[in-house]
Amino acid sequence: MGTWRTVVLFIGMLTSVACLSCPSCKEQHCSQPPPCVGDIVKDPCGCCDVCAKVEGERCGGPWKISGECSSGLFCDKDDDDFNAVGVCKPKKLLCGSNSHFSMCGGMCRPTCDNPSPICPAVCFPGCACDEGFVWSGDTCIPLKICPKKCPAGSHWSMCGSDCPPSCKEPIRACNKMCVPSCVCDVWDHVWHYDRCIPLKQCPPEGCKYNGRTYKEGDSWGEEDQPGKNCFCRQGRPQCLFVDCFPPTSRHVRTKDGTWDCQKLETGQCPQGYIKPQSSKGMFFCYRFDTKRLSYGDAESSCRADGGRLVTIRDYRTQLWVAIRTVLQIRQSTWIGLDDRKTDRRLVWSDLVPYSRKDYKRWDRGVLNTKNNDCAYMSRPRKYRWRLGWCKAKRPYICEYDPFAVSAIRAYQDF
């Protein structure tokens, strides 16, 4: 009995050795393989082409005598047993969720700290994260949920709020209450821009400036200081100056109410202004505006152009202005004469005091009373001058001097 066992073992050893004993390769002795479902590989002796094994077929054995798996597959067998025979299975089963097998996936892997690494031109097969995922430990997680460095007073949480409390909205209705985000360390703290502060320390919403309240992000130009632009940032007003250099440029108001510089050409009327056709030498430019404003708002509108409300000191100016008013406005109209700040002493808009010796076109019975401080041309009274309530809304006439540098400076210091 023992003799027979020895004979069988010897025959098996001879068979195994015969599998290693490959004759010299002569391709003319190789038969053409049938159409292959998978790849074409060499036989165990490395001579003739044979079909690689596909999923579910046997593989392995000593010297891969049972076949080699096609690309994308691996031979699932006992790697410690040289003679073990296995079955071809997809390589992706080797990798975890959100990952796949790649010939270059075994090194230089993207992580939360380095999502886009610069890799050497060397490949090593292994598992790689799917697109949008990075390695965290031995698993792949979505890049968007990677822990982030949070500001002081807060920490990273995988179950934060999609609409965290803030100074503007300390209590908010939110549909998503579990999203990866930074959350405040203390429950009664809220977000104020990029940091957590106690709710009671939240600044008032918007900015207060010169008695007016502005919303966060608003910008405006200071009416009484041409060139001074302000804006509301983080609950505080901040101001900057735009410098213009007369007589080559002047301050103008933009459509959003801020100041900018406009290049000037001597003797040129700004857009929207006209000059008398018979003008020779020095002249004023005029703008006849039909928009009804209070005296103060009309004054600001003229200043925004670098001008002022119209001054009338001679008959020719009165006649030309009155005719244009009849043609373009046809209403009682503000002119640049008032005593709002001079206690019943009238002053023209160019800061020159009014004198009874000057040219005048007053209507009869005009009284300089406390509530009537601003002058206008009255249409019912054939455009003679009267004094009225400054908050009444009327059209107005602006005057612009295209030659006087001093006028621009006076406007800046007004």
Side-chain angles (χ1 to χ4, degrees):
M1 187 71 176
T3 303
W4 280 107
R5 288 182 179 176
T6 304
V7 172
V8 172
L9 179 61
F10 179 73
I11 294 173
M13 291 177 63
L14 288 177
T15 303
S16 298
V17 172
C19 292
L20 277 176
S21 300
C22 295
S24 60
C25 182
K26 296 181 179 181
E27 294 185 0
Q28 63 269 24
H29 294 161
C30 294
S31 59
Q32 186 71 20
C36 298
V37 178
D39 299 334
I40 296 177
V41 296
K42 294 296 183 180
D43 60 16
C45 289
C47 180
C48 299
D49 290 338
V50 295
C51 292
K53 297 301 183 71
V54 296
E55 184 177 357
E57 291 184 335
R58 290 165 59 85
C59 60
W63 300 286
K64 298 183 181 180
I65 195 69
S66 293
E68 183 179 350
C69 294
S70 185
S71 59
L73 304 174
F74 75 102
C75 190
D76 186 13
K77 68 182 187 66
D78 186 358
D79 293 333
D80 295 330
D81 185 356
F82 177 75
N83 295 313
V85 176
V87 177
C88 290
K89 294 183 179 181
K91 287 182 178 180
K92 66 180 181 179
L93 296 179
L94 289 171
C95 303
S97 60
N98 306 319
S99 64
H100 60 279
F101 185 85
S102 171
M103 294 304 297
C104 292
M107 63 185 303
C108 195
R109 293 173 169 177
T111 63
C112 286
D113 295 332
N114 187 13
S116 301
I118 299 176
C119 300
V122 177
C123 283
F124 185 81
C127 294
C129 289
D130 296 338
E131 185 175 358
F133 293 80
V134 295
W135 285 101
S136 178
D138 58 354
T139 60
C140 292
I141 65 172
L143 178 60
K144 63 182 180 181
I145 69 171
C146 279
K148 297 180 181 178
K149 186 177 180 180
C150 296
S154 64
H155 62 276
W156 180 257
S157 173
M158 293 300 294
C159 194
S161 175
D162 193 36
C163 39
S166 64
C167 282
K168 188 175 182 180
E169 294 184 78
I171 300 177
R172 298 176 62 186
C174 193
N175 293 328
K176 293 183 180 180
M177 295 302 294
C178 202
V179 295
S181 63
C182 293
V183 298
C184 294
D185 292 337
V186 184
W187 69 271
D188 64 346
H189 282 42
V190 296
W191 286 99
H192 182 56
Y193 298 99
D194 58 352
R195 61 193 181 99
C196 288
I197 64 172
L199 179 60
K200 61 182 180 181
Q201 293 183 9
C202 284
E205 184 179 351
C207 305
K208 288 187 178 180
Y209 185 82
N210 285 349
R212 298 181 64 179
T213 301
Y214 297 90
K215 295 181 180 179
E216 181 69 24
D218 281 355
S219 58
W220 65 94
E222 181 63 51
E223 293 183 0
D224 295 332
Q225 296 188 51
K228 185 177 181 180
N229 289 330
C230 302
F231 51 93
C232 182
R233 292 292 184 275
Q234 299 187 11
R236 296 189 304 171
Q238 303 177 38
C239 298
L240 301 171
F241 281 86
V242 177
D243 292 327
C244 298
F245 303 96
T248 58
S249 64
R250 65 186 178 98
H251 286 108
V252 293
R253 295 291 285 272
T254 61
K255 292 182 179 180
D256 63 1
T258 57
W259 292 101
D260 200 354
C261 291
Q262 182 185 67
K263 185 178 179 181
L264 291 176
E265 296 183 15
T266 304
Q268 296 290 326
C269 291
Q271 185 176 1
Y273 283 74
I274 60 174
K275 67 176 183 178
Q277 294 181 353
S278 59
S279 298
K280 294 181 180 180
M282 309 290 279
F283 58 84
F284 284 145
C285 304
Y286 299 93
R287 175 164 66 89
F288 296 82
D289 203 313
T290 59
K291 188 175 181 179
R292 298 172 64 87
L293 299 177
S294 66
Y295 188 91
D297 289 342
E299 187 177 48
S300 297
S301 176
C302 295
R303 287 181 184 175
D305 296 331
R308 60 200 173 216
L309 285 171
V310 65
T311 60
I312 302 175
R313 294 194 177 93
D314 56 67
Y315 171 76
R316 291 186 63 184
T317 302
Q318 167 68 25
L319 179 62
W320 188 82
V321 168
I323 291 174
R324 300 301 303 187
T325 303
V326 171
L327 295 175
Q328 294 184 234
I329 297 181
R330 298 181 183 180
Q331 300 179 55
S332 297
T333 307
W334 292 124
I335 61 175
L337 184 62
D338 72 274
D339 61 356
R340 293 171 298 170
K341 301 178 182 179
T342 51
D343 192 21
R344 299 189 183 183
R345 293 176 56 193
L346 294 169
V347 178
W348 287 104
S349 59
D350 59 1
L351 305 183
V352 176
Y354 170 78
S355 172
R356 292 186 178 182
K357 296 180 181 180
D358 295 341
Y359 171 80
K360 47 188 170 293
R361 183 66 174 169
W362 293 107
D363 190 20
R364 294 180 181 180
V366 174
L367 298 177
N368 192 355
T369 61
K370 182 179 180 179
N371 294 326
N372 296 321
D373 296 323
C374 297
Y376 66 95
M377 293 192 302
S378 174
R379 181 187 180 191
R381 309 300 295 179
K382 298 182 179 180
Y383 295 95
R384 290 185 174 89
W385 305 348
R386 296 189 64 84
L387 291 173
W389 186 42
C390 296
K391 292 186 178 181
K393 294 186 177 182
R394 295 186 173 92
Y396 56 97
I397 306 169
C398 296
E399 171 185 280
Y400 176 83
D401 187 345
F403 298 96
V405 176
S406 60
I408 298 175
R409 290 176 179 166
Y411 153 66
Q412 292 176 333
D413 298 334
F414 192 81

Short mmCIF file of all heavy atoms in Angstrom, two decimals, residues 183-233:
data_model
loop_
_atom_site.label_atom_id
_atom_site.label_comp_id
_atom_site.label_asym_id
_atom_site.label_seq_id
_atom_site.Cartn_x
_atom_site.Cartn_y
_atom_site.Cartn_z
N VAL A 183 -19.99 75.56 13.44
CA VAL A 183 -21.05 75.98 14.37
C VAL A 183 -20.40 76.67 15.56
O VAL A 183 -19.24 76.40 15.92
CB VAL A 183 -21.89 74.78 14.84
CG1 VAL A 183 -22.60 74.12 13.67
CG2 VAL A 183 -21.03 73.75 15.55
N CYS A 184 -21.14 77.59 16.18
CA CYS A 184 -20.63 78.33 17.33
C CYS A 184 -20.45 77.40 18.52
O CYS A 184 -21.25 76.48 18.75
CB CYS A 184 -21.59 79.47 17.69
SG CYS A 184 -21.70 80.77 16.43
N ASP A 185 -19.39 77.64 19.31
CA ASP A 185 -19.12 76.80 20.47
C ASP A 185 -20.18 76.97 21.55
O ASP A 185 -20.51 76.03 22.27
CB ASP A 185 -17.75 77.15 21.06
CG ASP A 185 -16.61 76.75 20.12
OD1 ASP A 185 -16.83 75.85 19.28
OD2 ASP A 185 -15.53 77.34 20.23
N VAL A 186 -20.74 78.19 21.68
CA VAL A 186 -21.70 78.50 22.74
C VAL A 186 -23.08 78.66 22.11
O VAL A 186 -23.23 79.31 21.07
CB VAL A 186 -21.30 79.78 23.50
CG1 VAL A 186 -22.24 80.04 24.66
CG2 VAL A 186 -19.86 79.66 24.00
N TRP A 187 -24.09 78.09 22.76
CA TRP A 187 -25.42 78.03 22.16
C TRP A 187 -26.06 79.40 21.96
O TRP A 187 -26.84 79.60 21.03
CB TRP A 187 -26.34 77.17 23.02
CG TRP A 187 -26.67 77.79 24.36
CD1 TRP A 187 -25.99 77.66 25.52
CD2 TRP A 187 -27.78 78.66 24.65
NE1 TRP A 187 -26.55 78.38 26.53
CE2 TRP A 187 -27.68 79.01 26.02
CE3 TRP A 187 -28.83 79.17 23.90
CZ2 TRP A 187 -28.60 79.86 26.64
CZ3 TRP A 187 -29.74 80.00 24.53
CH2 TRP A 187 -29.62 80.33 25.88
N ASP A 188 -25.75 80.41 22.82
CA ASP A 188 -26.39 81.73 22.68
C ASP A 188 -25.55 82.70 21.85
O ASP A 188 -25.78 83.91 21.86
CB ASP A 188 -26.68 82.33 24.05
CG ASP A 188 -25.41 82.63 24.85
OD1 ASP A 188 -24.33 82.12 24.45
OD2 ASP A 188 -25.49 83.36 25.85
N HIS A 189 -24.56 82.17 21.11
CA HIS A 189 -23.79 82.99 20.20
C HIS A 189 -24.36 82.86 18.78
O HIS A 189 -24.93 81.83 18.43
CB HIS A 189 -22.32 82.57 20.18
CG HIS A 189 -21.54 83.06 21.36
ND1 HIS A 189 -22.05 83.05 22.64
CD2 HIS A 189 -20.28 83.59 21.45
CE1 HIS A 189 -21.14 83.52 23.48
NE2 HIS A 189 -20.06 83.86 22.78
N VAL A 190 -24.20 83.91 18.01
CA VAL A 190 -24.69 83.93 16.63
C VAL A 190 -23.56 84.40 15.72
O VAL A 190 -22.57 84.98 16.17
CB VAL A 190 -25.92 84.84 16.46
CG1 VAL A 190 -27.09 84.32 17.27
CG2 VAL A 190 -25.60 86.28 16.86
N TRP A 191 -23.74 84.15 14.43
CA TRP A 191 -22.72 84.55 13.46
C TRP A 191 -22.86 86.02 13.12
O TRP A 191 -23.95 86.52 12.84
CB TRP A 191 -22.83 83.72 12.18
CG TRP A 191 -22.35 82.32 12.34
CD1 TRP A 191 -23.09 81.21 12.56
CD2 TRP A 191 -20.99 81.90 12.33
NE1 TRP A 191 -22.29 80.11 12.69
CE2 TRP A 191 -20.98 80.49 12.55
CE3 TRP A 191 -19.77 82.55 12.16
CZ2 TRP A 191 -19.82 79.75 12.59
CZ3 TRP A 191 -18.60 81.80 12.21
CH2 TRP A 191 -18.63 80.42 12.42
N HIS A 192 -21.73 86.73 13.16
CA HIS A 192 -21.66 88.12 12.69
C HIS A 192 -20.52 88.17 11.69
O HIS A 192 -19.35 88.22 12.07
CB HIS A 192 -21.43 89.08 13.84
CG HIS A 192 -21.40 90.53 13.43
ND1 HIS A 192 -22.45 91.12 12.75
CD2 HIS A 192 -20.46 91.49 13.58
CE1 HIS A 192 -22.16 92.38 12.52
NE2 HIS A 192 -20.96 92.63 13.00
N TYR A 193 -20.87 88.08 10.40
CA TYR A 193 -19.91 87.94 9.32
C TYR A 193 -19.13 86.63 9.51
O TYR A 193 -19.70 85.56 9.41
CB TYR A 193 -19.01 89.17 9.22
CG TYR A 193 -19.83 90.41 8.92
CD1 TYR A 193 -20.20 91.29 9.93
CD2 TYR A 193 -20.28 90.65 7.62
CE1 TYR A 193 -20.99 92.39 9.65
CE2 TYR A 193 -21.07 91.75 7.34
CZ TYR A 193 -21.43 92.62 8.36
OH TYR A 193 -22.22 93.70 8.09
N ASP A 194 -17.85 86.65 9.86
CA ASP A 194 -17.08 85.40 9.91
C ASP A 194 -16.69 85.02 11.33
O ASP A 194 -15.70 84.31 11.54
CB ASP A 194 -15.82 85.53 9.04
CG ASP A 194 -14.94 86.69 9.46
OD1 ASP A 194 -15.37 87.49 10.32
OD2 ASP A 194 -13.81 86.81 8.94
N ARG A 195 -17.42 85.44 12.33
CA ARG A 195 -17.10 85.06 13.70
C ARG A 195 -18.37 84.94 14.53
O ARG A 195 -19.42 85.48 14.17
CB ARG A 195 -16.15 86.08 14.35
CG ARG A 195 -16.71 87.49 14.43
CD ARG A 195 -15.62 88.48 14.78
NE ARG A 195 -16.14 89.85 14.89
CZ ARG A 195 -16.45 90.43 16.04
NH1 ARG A 195 -16.29 89.75 17.18
NH2 ARG A 195 -16.90 91.65 16.08
N CYS A 196 -18.26 84.22 15.65
CA CYS A 196 -19.38 84.03 16.56
C CYS A 196 -19.29 85.04 17.70
O CYS A 196 -18.22 85.19 18.31
CB CYS A 196 -19.37 82.61 17.13
SG CYS A 196 -19.82 81.33 15.93
N ILE A 197 -20.39 85.73 17.98
CA ILE A 197 -20.42 86.70 19.07
C ILE A 197 -21.71 86.48 19.86
O ILE A 197 -22.68 85.92 19.34
CB ILE A 197 -20.35 88.15 18.56
CG1 ILE A 197 -21.59 88.48 17.70
CG2 ILE A 197 -19.08 88.40 17.76
CD1 ILE A 197 -21.68 89.96 17.33
N PRO A 198 -21.75 86.94 21.13
CA PRO A 198 -23.00 86.85 21.89
C PRO A 198 -24.10 87.66 21.22
O PRO A 198 -23.84 88.73 20.65
CB PRO A 198 -22.63 87.44 23.26
CG PRO A 198 -21.14 87.30 23.35
CD PRO A 198 -20.64 87.46 21.94
N LEU A 199 -25.30 87.15 21.26
CA LEU A 199 -26.42 87.82 20.60
C LEU A 199 -26.59 89.25 21.10
O LEU A 199 -26.90 90.16 20.32
CB LEU A 199 -27.71 87.03 20.83
CG LEU A 199 -29.00 87.60 20.22
CD1 LEU A 199 -28.86 87.71 18.70
CD2 LEU A 199 -30.19 86.72 20.57
N LYS A 200 -26.35 89.48 22.39
CA LYS A 200 -26.53 90.82 22.95
C LYS A 200 -25.48 91.81 22.45
O LYS A 200 -25.65 93.03 22.61
CB LYS A 200 -26.51 90.76 24.47
CG LYS A 200 -25.21 90.24 25.06
CD LYS A 200 -25.29 90.16 26.58
CE LYS A 200 -23.99 89.62 27.20
NZ LYS A 200 -24.10 89.53 28.66
N GLN A 201 -24.40 91.32 21.87
CA GLN A 201 -23.36 92.21 21.34
C GLN A 201 -23.55 92.53 19.87
O GLN A 201 -22.72 93.23 19.27
CB GLN A 201 -21.98 91.58 21.56
CG GLN A 201 -21.56 91.48 23.00
CD GLN A 201 -20.15 90.92 23.16
OE1 GLN A 201 -19.41 90.77 22.18
NE2 GLN A 201 -19.76 90.63 24.40
N CYS A 202 -24.62 92.03 19.27
CA CYS A 202 -24.88 92.31 17.85
C CYS A 202 -25.07 93.81 17.65
O CYS A 202 -25.84 94.45 18.38
CB CYS A 202 -26.12 91.56 17.37
SG CYS A 202 -25.84 89.80 17.11
N PRO A 203 -24.38 94.42 16.67
CA PRO A 203 -24.57 95.85 16.40
C PRO A 203 -25.93 96.09 15.76
O PRO A 203 -26.53 95.17 15.19
CB PRO A 203 -23.44 96.16 15.41
CG PRO A 203 -23.17 94.86 14.72
CD PRO A 203 -23.41 93.81 15.76
N PRO A 204 -26.45 97.30 15.87
CA PRO A 204 -27.73 97.60 15.23
C PRO A 204 -27.63 97.39 13.72
O PRO A 204 -26.58 97.60 13.12
CB PRO A 204 -27.97 99.07 15.58
CG PRO A 204 -26.62 99.61 15.93
CD PRO A 204 -25.87 98.47 16.54
N GLU A 205 -28.71 96.94 13.14
CA GLU A 205 -28.71 96.65 11.70
C GLU A 205 -28.47 97.92 10.91
O GLU A 205 -29.09 98.95 11.14
CB GLU A 205 -30.04 96.01 11.31
CG GLU A 205 -30.09 95.58 9.86
CD GLU A 205 -31.41 94.93 9.50
OE1 GLU A 205 -32.19 94.66 10.42
OE2 GLU A 205 -31.64 94.70 8.30
N GLY A 206 -27.55 97.86 9.95
CA GLY A 206 -27.27 99.02 9.11
C GLY A 206 -26.38 100.03 9.83
O GLY A 206 -25.78 99.76 10.86
N CYS A 207 -26.28 101.22 9.24
CA CYS A 207 -25.43 102.29 9.77
C CYS A 207 -26.25 103.57 9.93
O CYS A 207 -27.13 103.86 9.12
CB CYS A 207 -24.27 102.57 8.82
SG CYS A 207 -23.26 101.14 8.42
N LYS A 208 -25.94 104.33 10.96
CA LYS A 208 -26.55 105.64 11.15
C LYS A 208 -25.49 106.70 10.87
O LYS A 208 -24.39 106.65 11.39
CB LYS A 208 -27.08 105.77 12.58
CG LYS A 208 -28.32 104.94 12.85
CD LYS A 208 -28.91 105.23 14.22
CE LYS A 208 -30.19 104.42 14.43
NZ LYS A 208 -30.80 104.69 15.77
N TYR A 209 -25.89 107.68 10.02
CA TYR A 209 -24.95 108.73 9.63
C TYR A 209 -25.71 110.02 9.40
O TYR A 209 -26.65 110.05 8.58
CB TYR A 209 -24.20 108.31 8.36
CG TYR A 209 -23.12 109.27 7.93
CD1 TYR A 209 -21.86 109.23 8.51
CD2 TYR A 209 -23.37 110.22 6.95
CE1 TYR A 209 -20.86 110.10 8.12
CE2 TYR A 209 -22.38 111.10 6.55
CZ TYR A 209 -21.12 111.04 7.13
OH TYR A 209 -20.14 111.91 6.74
N ASN A 210 -25.36 111.05 10.14
CA ASN A 210 -26.01 112.36 10.02
C ASN A 210 -27.53 112.26 10.13
O ASN A 210 -28.27 112.89 9.36
CB ASN A 210 -25.63 113.04 8.70
CG ASN A 210 -24.21 113.59 8.73
OD1 ASN A 210 -23.58 113.63 9.79
ND2 ASN A 210 -23.71 114.00 7.59
N GLY A 211 -27.98 111.43 11.08
CA GLY A 211 -29.42 111.33 11.33
C GLY A 211 -30.17 110.42 10.39
O GLY A 211 -31.39 110.28 10.52
N ARG A 212 -29.46 109.78 9.46
CA ARG A 212 -30.12 108.88 8.52
C ARG A 212 -29.60 107.46 8.73
O ARG A 212 -28.46 107.26 9.17
CB ARG A 212 -29.87 109.32 7.07
CG ARG A 212 -30.42 110.70 6.74
CD ARG A 212 -30.16 111.07 5.29
NE ARG A 212 -30.86 110.18 4.38
CZ ARG A 212 -30.81 110.30 3.06
NH1 ARG A 212 -30.09 111.28 2.51
NH2 ARG A 212 -31.47 109.45 2.30
N THR A 213 -30.42 106.47 8.42
CA THR A 213 -30.05 105.07 8.56
C THR A 213 -29.86 104.45 7.18
O THR A 213 -30.71 104.60 6.30
CB THR A 213 -31.13 104.29 9.34
OG1 THR A 213 -31.29 104.88 10.64
CG2 THR A 213 -30.72 102.84 9.50
N TYR A 214 -28.74 103.78 7.00
CA TYR A 214 -28.41 103.13 5.73
C TYR A 214 -28.31 101.62 5.95
O TYR A 214 -27.90 101.16 7.02
CB TYR A 214 -27.08 103.66 5.18
CG TYR A 214 -27.11 105.14 4.84
CD1 TYR A 214 -26.76 106.09 5.79
CD2 TYR A 214 -27.49 105.57 3.58
CE1 TYR A 214 -26.78 107.44 5.48
CE2 TYR A 214 -27.51 106.93 3.26
CZ TYR A 214 -27.15 107.86 4.22
OH TYR A 214 -27.18 109.19 3.91
N LYS A 215 -28.65 100.87 4.92
CA LYS A 215 -28.57 99.42 4.99
C LYS A 215 -27.13 98.96 4.76
O LYS A 215 -26.32 99.68 4.17
CB LYS A 215 -29.49 98.78 3.94
CG LYS A 215 -30.96 99.04 4.16
CD LYS A 215 -31.79 98.35 3.08
CE LYS A 215 -33.27 98.61 3.28
NZ LYS A 215 -34.08 97.95 2.21
N GLU A 216 -26.84 97.77 5.23
CA GLU A 216 -25.52 97.18 5.02
C GLU A 216 -25.23 97.09 3.52
O GLU A 216 -26.04 96.60 2.74
CB GLU A 216 -25.47 95.79 5.64
CG GLU A 216 -24.13 95.10 5.51
CD GLU A 216 -23.06 95.75 6.34
OE1 GLU A 216 -23.39 96.42 7.34
OE2 GLU A 216 -21.89 95.60 5.98
N GLY A 217 -24.08 97.63 3.12
CA GLY A 217 -23.70 97.63 1.71
C GLY A 217 -24.08 98.88 0.96
O GLY A 217 -23.63 99.07 -0.18
N ASP A 218 -24.91 99.76 1.56
CA ASP A 218 -25.29 101.01 0.89
C ASP A 218 -24.08 101.93 0.76
O ASP A 218 -23.15 101.91 1.59
CB ASP A 218 -26.38 101.73 1.68
CG ASP A 218 -27.75 101.14 1.44
OD1 ASP A 218 -27.86 100.24 0.58
OD2 ASP A 218 -28.72 101.57 2.10
N SER A 219 -24.08 102.76 -0.26
CA SER A 219 -23.06 103.79 -0.44
C SER A 219 -23.75 105.09 -0.81
O SER A 219 -24.81 105.09 -1.44
CB SER A 219 -22.04 103.39 -1.51
OG SER A 219 -22.69 103.14 -2.75
N TRP A 220 -23.15 106.21 -0.44
CA TRP A 220 -23.76 107.51 -0.70
C TRP A 220 -22.68 108.58 -0.73
O TRP A 220 -21.57 108.39 -0.23
CB TRP A 220 -24.81 107.83 0.36
CG TRP A 220 -24.27 108.00 1.75
CD1 TRP A 220 -23.89 109.15 2.37
CD2 TRP A 220 -24.01 106.96 2.70
NE1 TRP A 220 -23.42 108.90 3.64
CE2 TRP A 220 -23.48 107.55 3.88
CE3 TRP A 220 -24.16 105.56 2.68
CZ2 TRP A 220 -23.12 106.82 5.00
CZ3 TRP A 220 -23.80 104.84 3.80
CH2 TRP A 220 -23.29 105.45 4.94
N GLY A 221 -23.01 109.72 -1.32
CA GLY A 221 -22.12 110.87 -1.37
C GLY A 221 -22.62 111.94 -0.41
O GLY A 221 -23.81 112.25 -0.38
N GLU A 222 -21.72 112.51 0.37
CA GLU A 222 -22.09 113.56 1.33
C GLU A 222 -22.50 114.80 0.55
O GLU A 222 -21.72 115.36 -0.24
CB GLU A 222 -20.90 113.88 2.24
CG GLU A 222 -21.17 114.94 3.27
CD GLU A 222 -22.24 114.51 4.26
OE1 GLU A 222 -22.14 113.42 4.82
OE2 GLU A 222 -23.20 115.29 4.43
N GLU A 223 -23.75 115.25 0.75
CA GLU A 223 -24.28 116.35 -0.06
C GLU A 223 -23.51 117.64 0.15
O GLU A 223 -23.28 118.40 -0.80
CB GLU A 223 -25.77 116.57 0.29
CG GLU A 223 -26.67 115.42 -0.14
CD GLU A 223 -28.13 115.71 0.14
OE1 GLU A 223 -28.42 116.80 0.66
OE2 GLU A 223 -28.97 114.84 -0.14
N ASP A 224 -23.12 117.93 1.38
CA ASP A 224 -22.47 119.21 1.68
C ASP A 224 -20.95 119.15 1.52
O ASP A 224 -20.28 120.16 1.73
CB ASP A 224 -22.81 119.64 3.11
CG ASP A 224 -24.29 119.93 3.28
OD1 ASP A 224 -24.92 120.32 2.27
OD2 ASP A 224 -24.81 119.76 4.39
N GLN A 225 -20.39 117.98 1.17
CA GLN A 225 -18.95 117.87 0.97
C GLN A 225 -18.66 117.13 -0.32
O GLN A 225 -18.49 115.91 -0.33
CB GLN A 225 -18.29 117.14 2.15
CG GLN A 225 -18.40 117.87 3.47
CD GLN A 225 -17.59 117.20 4.56
OE1 GLN A 225 -16.40 116.93 4.39
NE2 GLN A 225 -18.22 116.94 5.69
N PRO A 226 -18.63 117.84 -1.44
CA PRO A 226 -18.36 117.19 -2.72
C PRO A 226 -17.06 116.38 -2.66
O PRO A 226 -16.03 116.85 -2.16
CB PRO A 226 -18.24 118.36 -3.69
CG PRO A 226 -19.08 119.43 -3.07
CD PRO A 226 -18.89 119.28 -1.60
N GLY A 227 -17.13 115.19 -3.17
CA GLY A 227 -15.97 114.30 -3.17
C GLY A 227 -15.94 113.33 -2.01
O GLY A 227 -15.15 112.39 -2.03
N LYS A 228 -16.80 113.53 -1.01
CA LYS A 228 -16.80 112.65 0.15
C LYS A 228 -17.81 111.53 -0.06
O LYS A 228 -19.01 111.75 -0.04
CB LYS A 228 -17.14 113.43 1.42
CG LYS A 228 -17.05 112.60 2.70
CD LYS A 228 -17.33 113.43 3.94
CE LYS A 228 -17.21 112.61 5.21
NZ LYS A 228 -17.49 113.41 6.43
N ASN A 229 -17.31 110.32 -0.27
CA ASN A 229 -18.15 109.14 -0.46
C ASN A 229 -18.10 108.26 0.78
O ASN A 229 -17.02 108.03 1.35
CB ASN A 229 -17.67 108.32 -1.67
CG ASN A 229 -17.98 109.01 -2.98
OD1 ASN A 229 -18.95 109.75 -3.09
ND2 ASN A 229 -17.15 108.77 -3.99
N CYS A 230 -19.24 107.77 1.20
CA CYS A 230 -19.34 106.93 2.39
C CYS A 230 -20.04 105.62 2.02
O CYS A 230 -20.80 105.56 1.06
CB CYS A 230 -20.12 107.63 3.50
SG CYS A 230 -19.41 109.23 4.00
N PHE A 231 -19.78 104.60 2.82
CA PHE A 231 -20.44 103.30 2.62
C PHE A 231 -20.60 102.62 3.96
O PHE A 231 -19.86 102.89 4.91
CB PHE A 231 -19.64 102.43 1.65
CG PHE A 231 -18.19 102.29 1.98
CD1 PHE A 231 -17.74 101.24 2.75
CD2 PHE A 231 -17.27 103.22 1.52
CE1 PHE A 231 -16.41 101.10 3.06
CE2 PHE A 231 -15.92 103.10 1.83
CZ PHE A 231 -15.49 102.03 2.61
N CYS A 232 -21.59 101.73 4.03
CA CYS A 232 -21.92 101.02 5.27
C CYS A 232 -21.32 99.63 5.21
O CYS A 232 -21.68 98.83 4.36
CB CYS A 232 -23.45 100.96 5.45
SG CYS A 232 -23.98 100.15 6.97
N ARG A 233 -20.38 99.32 6.12
CA ARG A 233 -19.72 98.02 6.16
C ARG A 233 -19.68 97.52 7.60
O ARG A 233 -19.19 98.22 8.49
CB ARG A 233 -18.29 98.11 5.61
CG ARG A 233 -18.19 98.40 4.12
CD ARG A 233 -18.71 97.25 3.28
NE ARG A 233 -18.52 97.51 1.86
CZ ARG A 233 -19.35 98.20 1.11
NH1 ARG A 233 -20.45 98.70 1.64
NH2 ARG A 233 -19.10 98.40 -0.17
#
